[in-house]
């Protein structure tokens, strides 16, 4: 038998199961656009806070502003990244004076990470600008539509 007859194609055509709903294809496409835009926006927002920051830094600042001081391991768990990754990102934020570490009062061996005053001010200014942008983009939406979008995104983010 000829060897080439047994080889599988290098780039086979992707196939969709016949039972796959078009709604899920639409969702996949829209989520992909949303995620691409979110990544680009995170990079822009991080650079607005400080020009040396990576895109992931904005998410860390958001989390610390929302929940207050946290251990690095808690942050790593929340974002689903390893401790080495979160340590590197926190070190970058610490190096530019946006976060600092303080002893954990519940465990003297552990450290909490918190926003510095400078970090709070810079983050707050960028967050206010971002909120104005959201209001502008959604100006033609009904408040009930905005609430429904928030509710559905929360449901999606909470699903396991």
């Amino acid at each position: 038998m000829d060897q080439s007859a047994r080889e599988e194609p290098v780039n086979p055509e992707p196939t969709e199961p016949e039972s796959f709903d078009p709604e899920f294809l639409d969702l996949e496409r829209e989520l992909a656009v949303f995620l691409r835009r979110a990544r680009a926006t995170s990079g822009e927002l991080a650079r607005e806070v400080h020009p040396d920051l990576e895109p992931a830094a904005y998410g860390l600042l958001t989390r610390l502003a929302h929940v207050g001081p946290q251990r690095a391991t808690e942050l790593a768990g929340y974002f689903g990244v390893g401790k080495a990754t979160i340590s590197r990102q926190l070190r970058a934020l610490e190096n530019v004076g946006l976060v600092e570490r303080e002893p954990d009062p519940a465990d003297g061996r552990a450290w909490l990470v918190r926003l510095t005053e400078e970090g709070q001010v810079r983050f707050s200014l960028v967050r206010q600008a971002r909120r104005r942008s959201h209001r502008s983009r959604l100006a033609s939406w009904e408040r009930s539509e905005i609430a429904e979008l928030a509710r559905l995104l929360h449901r999606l983010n909470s699903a396991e």
Side-chain angles (χ1 to χ4, degrees), residues 5 53 84 123 132 136 138:
L53 294 183
F123 174 76
R132 285 190 298 272
S136 175
L138 301 174

Side-chain angles (χ1 to χ4, degrees), residues 44-66:
E44 292 167 10
L45 293 170
R47 286 186 297 278
E48 286 180 36
V49 173
H50 193 282
D52 295 336
L53 294 183
E54 295 179 14
Y58 190 79
L60 281 168
L61 295 173
T62 300
R63 181 69 179 165
L64 290 170
H66 181 70

